[in-house]
Each structure stands twice: as C-alpha cells, then as structure tokens.
Amino acid sequence: MIFAANLKCNHTRSTFKLYADQLNRLSWDKNNEIIVFPPSIAFLEQDLNFTQGAQNFYPCINGAYTGEIGKEHLDEFGIKCVLIGHSERRKFENNDFIKEKFDFAKKYGFKVIFCIGEDIKTKKENKTNEFLRKQLENIDLKYDKLIIAYEPIYSIGSGISADLKDIENVLNFLNSLSKAKLLYGGSVNENNIAQILNINHCDGVLIGTAALKIENFIKLIKDNSC
C-alpha cells in the first residue's frame, strides 16, 4: 500500500524535522511505501526511510523564474517524487502548463503523483468520467513512474469523503485507462481509511489534514499496513 501525506502550507523546517525523525524511527513492511510532501521551505537534507516529495515545482533546471523552484533545487535535497495537478494548484495552472510539468518530470525520471477530481456540479450532472478523462488526456498514461490520485474536489478538506461506491466506480474506470497505481484522496481519516483501502484497484491513499500530526499519520499507517 502507498500512504502519502500532503502537508500543504503547514510545518516549518524545524517542525518537519521532528515529524521526519519520528517516521525514521519506525520500520515499514516492504509492501508499503510512505511518501510525504512537506512545503519546500521545510525540505530536509538527510537520510530518510520514506520518500520526501515536492508539492510544486517549475519545469526548469534553473533560470529567470522569480519565486519558482527548479530541478536544481529539488536535486539538492535528493527529491525524485513530485505532486502534479492538485486542485489547489489547478486554480493557478491551466492544462497546458500541467502537461508541461508532467513532460518535464517524465523527462528527468521523477515519480509523479498526478491528481484529478471533479467538483460537485460535475458529479451531479453524471459527467465525472468524462471530466476525469479530459484531465488525463494530455499525459502519458503508460509512464512507468506514474501514480494517479483521485481526489474529488468536494471532499478535499470538507471532512466528508466520497461515497465508497462512487470511489469504486471511478477507480474501475481509471483502471480501464491506465495500469498506473491508483490512490484515493479527500477527507481520508481513521474512520474511513480501512474501507477505502479495501476498494478494488485502490493501491493507497493521499492524506491531508489527518496526516498533519505525525502521531496520527503513524497510526493510520500502522493500523492499515499490508
């Protein structure tokens, strides 16, 4: 199983070091993969027993891109996993730019967690599959380091996860499009994670709020490991 934590705009370098130190004290079943996306200011330059990923980056090595994070900066911290397409980034990034980021990440061999998800209006109009297909149409679905995370926008940060049957239907649909591993994200917590991980084609979870405190994240992993 994949247990990924998106810390968003939370934690400083000092608090993330405490977070990472606690993760580093634990050993994981070889069938589990742990990925944590801290804010870039909190990247750690140390040996970690989990994968440290980047929430965002600019598709460049370096250059005249004020305020951006290039590959050169990710390399300094040994980061080879990136998050692309999160709905909180799609507010600022169009499909062309998202494709540019994906193509750059693929060129340099990054593991990509590619986020997709529909809003409540699209869901109520029964256009979810059509909407998700469009979000995926510009990327290489055969890329061997691709992971797709289904995160319905109406569930992110709301405390209300999508209906289990809806998740199952979407993951079945995504599996028909790509053999990439599939995650679910959107108000994953201790009350629903076990049921979500039992859904057909679910290879793991992308956790937000419930992973901000390290003791909570560790409990979610320990209680639901393979």
Side-chain angles (χ1 to χ4, degrees), residues 53-65:
Q55 297 177 23
N56 187 36
F57 68 97
Y58 195 80
C60 69
I61 303 297
N62 53 35
Y65 305 104

PDB file of all heavy atoms in Angstrom, residues 53-65:
ATOM      1  N   GLY A  53       8.784  14.210  -1.024  1.00  0.00           N
ATOM      2  CA  GLY A  53       8.364  14.695  -2.325  1.00  0.00           C
ATOM      3  C   GLY A  53       8.117  16.192  -2.335  1.00  0.00           C
ATOM      4  O   GLY A  53       8.077  16.838  -1.282  1.00  0.00           O
ATOM      5  N   ALA A  54       7.950  16.738  -3.536  1.00  0.00           N
ATOM      6  CA  ALA A  54       7.708  18.169  -3.702  1.00  0.00           C
ATOM      7  C   ALA A  54       6.251  18.417  -4.088  1.00  0.00           C
ATOM      8  O   ALA A  54       5.732  17.795  -5.009  1.00  0.00           O
ATOM      9  CB  ALA A  54       8.627  18.742  -4.772  1.00  0.00           C
ATOM     10  N   GLN A  55       5.615  19.336  -3.382  1.00  0.00           N
ATOM     11  CA  GLN A  55       4.233  19.708  -3.684  1.00  0.00           C
ATOM     12  C   GLN A  55       4.128  20.467  -5.003  1.00  0.00           C
ATOM     13  O   GLN A  55       3.097  20.431  -5.669  1.00  0.00           O
ATOM     14  CB  GLN A  55       3.659  20.593  -2.576  1.00  0.00           C
ATOM     15  CG  GLN A  55       3.548  19.954  -1.220  1.00  0.00           C
ATOM     16  CD  GLN A  55       3.049  20.937  -0.173  1.00  0.00           C
ATOM     17  OE1 GLN A  55       2.400  21.937  -0.499  1.00  0.00           O
ATOM     18  NE2 GLN A  55       3.352  20.670   1.087  1.00  0.00           N
ATOM     19  N   ASN A  56       5.200  21.162  -5.345  1.00  0.00           N
ATOM     20  CA  ASN A  56       5.158  22.013  -6.533  1.00  0.00           C
ATOM     21  C   ASN A  56       6.578  22.235  -7.045  1.00  0.00           C
ATOM     22  O   ASN A  56       7.551  22.092  -6.313  1.00  0.00           O
ATOM     23  CB  ASN A  56       4.510  23.355  -6.188  1.00  0.00           C
ATOM     24  CG  ASN A  56       4.289  24.219  -7.414  1.00  0.00           C
ATOM     25  OD1 ASN A  56       3.981  23.721  -8.491  1.00  0.00           O
ATOM     26  ND2 ASN A  56       4.444  25.513  -7.265  1.00  0.00           N
ATOM     27  N   PHE A  57       6.678  22.554  -8.334  1.00  0.00           N
ATOM     28  CA  PHE A  57       7.972  22.876  -8.937  1.00  0.00           C
ATOM     29  C   PHE A  57       7.682  23.591 -10.250  1.00  0.00           C
ATOM     30  O   PHE A  57       6.562  23.574 -10.754  1.00  0.00           O
ATOM     31  CB  PHE A  57       8.802  21.603  -9.190  1.00  0.00           C
ATOM     32  CG  PHE A  57       8.217  20.722 -10.269  1.00  0.00           C
ATOM     33  CD1 PHE A  57       8.680  20.777 -11.577  1.00  0.00           C
ATOM     34  CD2 PHE A  57       7.173  19.851  -9.983  1.00  0.00           C
ATOM     35  CE1 PHE A  57       8.127  19.985 -12.576  1.00  0.00           C
ATOM     36  CE2 PHE A  57       6.614  19.052 -10.968  1.00  0.00           C
ATOM     37  CZ  PHE A  57       7.092  19.119 -12.267  1.00  0.00           C
ATOM     38  N   TYR A  58       8.719  24.221 -10.795  1.00  0.00           N
ATOM     39  CA  TYR A  58       8.598  24.853 -12.114  1.00  0.00           C
ATOM     40  C   TYR A  58       9.385  23.986 -13.099  1.00  0.00           C
ATOM     41  O   TYR A  58      10.455  23.482 -12.756  1.00  0.00           O
ATOM     42  CB  TYR A  58       9.173  26.268 -12.078  1.00  0.00           C
ATOM     43  CG  TYR A  58       8.758  27.104 -13.266  1.00  0.00           C
ATOM     44  CD1 TYR A  58       7.506  27.711 -13.311  1.00  0.00           C
ATOM     45  CD2 TYR A  58       9.620  27.276 -14.351  1.00  0.00           C
ATOM     46  CE1 TYR A  58       7.116  28.465 -14.409  1.00  0.00           C
ATOM     47  CE2 TYR A  58       9.234  28.022 -15.447  1.00  0.00           C
ATOM     48  CZ  TYR A  58       7.985  28.621 -15.474  1.00  0.00           C
ATOM     49  OH  TYR A  58       7.605  29.365 -16.561  1.00  0.00           O
ATOM     50  N   PRO A  59       8.864  23.766 -14.307  1.00  0.00           N
ATOM     51  CA  PRO A  59       9.540  22.870 -15.257  1.00  0.00           C
ATOM     52  C   PRO A  59      10.797  23.484 -15.865  1.00  0.00           C
ATOM     53  O   PRO A  59      10.849  23.844 -17.043  1.00  0.00           O
ATOM     54  CB  PRO A  59       8.460  22.595 -16.306  1.00  0.00           C
ATOM     55  CG  PRO A  59       7.578  23.796 -16.268  1.00  0.00           C
ATOM     56  CD  PRO A  59       7.553  24.226 -14.837  1.00  0.00           C
ATOM     57  N   CYS A  60      11.805  23.615 -15.030  1.00  0.00           N
ATOM     58  CA  CYS A  60      13.088  24.155 -15.478  1.00  0.00           C
ATOM     59  C   CYS A  60      14.191  23.564 -14.600  1.00  0.00           C
ATOM     60  O   CYS A  60      13.918  23.062 -13.508  1.00  0.00           O
ATOM     61  CB  CYS A  60      13.108  25.685 -15.370  1.00  0.00           C
ATOM     62  SG  CYS A  60      13.124  26.275 -13.661  1.00  0.00           S
ATOM     63  N   ILE A  61      15.432  23.653 -15.091  1.00  0.00           N
ATOM     64  CA  ILE A  61      16.570  23.289 -14.255  1.00  0.00           C
ATOM     65  C   ILE A  61      16.837  24.430 -13.273  1.00  0.00           C
ATOM     66  O   ILE A  61      16.948  24.236 -12.073  1.00  0.00           O
ATOM     67  CB  ILE A  61      17.828  23.018 -15.112  1.00  0.00           C
ATOM     68  CG1 ILE A  61      17.556  21.921 -16.148  1.00  0.00           C
ATOM     69  CG2 ILE A  61      19.008  22.642 -14.201  1.00  0.00           C
ATOM     70  CD1 ILE A  61      17.227  20.574 -15.551  1.00  0.00           C
ATOM     71  N   ASN A  62      16.946  25.619 -13.819  1.00  0.00           N
ATOM     72  CA  ASN A  62      17.105  26.863 -13.067  1.00  0.00           C
ATOM     73  C   ASN A  62      16.806  27.984 -14.065  1.00  0.00           C
ATOM     74  O   ASN A  62      16.395  27.711 -15.192  1.00  0.00           O
ATOM     75  CB  ASN A  62      18.512  27.001 -12.464  1.00  0.00           C
ATOM     76  CG  ASN A  62      19.597  26.830 -13.515  1.00  0.00           C
ATOM     77  OD1 ASN A  62      19.454  27.228 -14.669  1.00  0.00           O
ATOM     78  ND2 ASN A  62      20.710  26.192 -13.130  1.00  0.00           N
ATOM     79  N   GLY A  63      16.993  29.220 -13.684  1.00  0.00           N
ATOM     80  CA  GLY A  63      16.794  30.297 -14.664  1.00  0.00           C
ATOM     81  C   GLY A  63      16.053  31.495 -14.104  1.00  0.00           C
ATOM     82  O   GLY A  63      15.879  31.633 -12.887  1.00  0.00           O
ATOM     83  N   ALA A  64      15.624  32.375 -15.010  1.00  0.00           N
ATOM     84  CA  ALA A  64      14.989  33.640 -14.627  1.00  0.00           C
ATOM     85  C   ALA A  64      13.500  33.433 -14.383  1.00  0.00           C
ATOM     86  O   ALA A  64      12.647  33.892 -15.150  1.00  0.00           O
ATOM     87  CB  ALA A  64      15.221  34.682 -15.726  1.00  0.00           C
ATOM     88  N   TYR A  65      13.189  32.710 -13.315  1.00  0.00           N
ATOM     89  CA  TYR A  65      11.798  32.406 -12.949  1.00  0.00           C
ATOM     90  C   TYR A  65      11.614  32.785 -11.480  1.00  0.00           C
ATOM     91  O   TYR A  65      11.665  31.932 -10.592  1.00  0.00           O
ATOM     92  CB  TYR A  65      11.484  30.925 -13.172  1.00  0.00           C
ATOM     93  CG  TYR A  65      11.791  30.472 -14.583  1.00  0.00           C
ATOM     94  CD1 TYR A  65      12.933  29.706 -14.860  1.00  0.00           C
ATOM     95  CD2 TYR A  65      10.954  30.824 -15.645  1.00  0.00           C
ATOM     96  CE1 TYR A  65      13.225  29.299 -16.154  1.00  0.00           C
ATOM     97  CE2 TYR A  65      11.240  30.425 -16.944  1.00  0.00           C
ATOM     98  CZ  TYR A  65      12.377  29.664 -17.187  1.00  0.00           C
ATOM     99  OH  TYR A  65      12.664  29.265 -18.475  1.00  0.00           O
TER     100      TYR A  65
END
